[in-house]
């Protein structure tokens, strides 16, 4: 994936070095129950604009960092005025079809951006249009110091 350039590395390192801003380590009872019953869900952004990670996940610390980057990016996208206008590929639509993103194209697009940045292979092959959007988003976040 192209999202592994200098700007991407800088953005990810800054997110990880500022985890205390967005990571909420204490879970609400409903979140704890959800994670217990869904160990395949490694983390999520919350309604209070925080990232929570599943304490029952079997992922390695490095993999959980990628989950954190993904979810923190989704929070940053919520605060970014230039919403993705790119087209999802047929492969991406098929992948998201039976998920919560299958019925929410805007959320699917945000997830594609976040997954490109966290090097998640489930995004498959990003298009040039998607990669261009990611680069523009990265530039805006770095210039604004949003980590």
């Amino acid at each position: 994936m192209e999202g592994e350039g200098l700007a991407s590395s800088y953005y990810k390192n800054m997110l990880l070095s500022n985890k205390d801003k967005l990571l909420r380590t204490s879970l609400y009872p409903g979140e704890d129950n959800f994670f217990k019953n869904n160990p395949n869900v490694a983390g999520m952004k919350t309604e209070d604009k925080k990232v929570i990670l599943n304490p029952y996940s079997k992922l390695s610390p490095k993999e959980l960092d990628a989950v954190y980057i993904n979810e923190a990016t989704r929070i940053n996208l919520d605060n970014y005025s230039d919403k993705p206008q790119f087209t999802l590929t047929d492969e991406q639509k098929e992948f998201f079809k039976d998920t919560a993103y299958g019925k929410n194209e805007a959320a699917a697009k945000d997830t594609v951006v976040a997954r490109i940045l966290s090097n998640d292979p489930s995004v498959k092959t990003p298009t040039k249009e998607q990669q261009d959007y990611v680069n523009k988003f990265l530039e805006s976040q770095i210039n604004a110091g949003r980590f």
Side-chain angles (χ1 to χ4, degrees):
M1 260 186 271
E2 237 180 276
E4 299 176 38
L6 187 58
S8 176
S9 293
Y10 178 76
Y11 173 77
K12 290 186 280 191
N13 286 333
M14 291 304 295
L15 279 178
L16 291 172
S17 67
N18 288 292
K19 263 188 181 177
D20 60 316
K21 289 183 180 178
L22 292 178
L23 183 65
R24 180 165 45 81
T25 55
S26 60
L27 300 178
Y28 300 140
E31 294 166 343
D32 188 61
N33 288 336
F34 175 81
F35 281 144
K36 273 183 192 168
N37 294 323
N38 297 280
N40 58 317
V41 176
M44 66 177 70
K45 75 174 187 168
T46 63
E47 290 180 18
D48 61 350
K49 302 278 188 203
K50 297 290 182 185
V51 175
I52 53 175
L53 299 174
N54 188 341
Y56 308 100
S57 171
K58 303 291 185 214
L59 295 180
S60 70
K62 184 177 180 178
E63 290 168 321
L64 286 172
D65 279 350
V67 172
Y68 175 80
I69 289 165
N70 182 306
E71 300 302 338
T73 297
R74 292 180 62 226
I75 290 169
N76 286 341
L77 283 163
D78 286 346
N79 299 318
Y80 184 51
S81 62
D82 186 13
K83 301 302 178 196
Q85 300 299 315
F86 57 74
T87 303
L88 296 172
T89 66
D90 289 341
E91 193 176 34
Q92 290 164 343
K93 288 177 189 172
E94 180 64 26
F95 180 80
F96 291 130
K97 179 176 67 176
D98 295 323
T99 72
Y101 304 118
K103 293 184 167 96
N104 186 338
E105 189 169 301
K109 289 177 179 182
D110 282 356
T111 296
V112 165
V113 172
R115 290 181 184 198
I116 289 170
L117 283 168
S118 64
N119 299 322
D120 184 329
S122 68
V123 78
K124 308 298 182 194
T125 305
T127 65
K128 180 179 180 334
E129 183 183 25
Q130 291 169 351
Q131 191 60 56
D132 288 347
Y133 178 85
V134 167
N135 292 337
K136 183 176 165 186
F137 170 75
L138 275 174
E139 184 179 342
S140 75
Q141 298 305 288
I142 291 168
N143 288 342
R146 289 196 181 103
F147 310 109

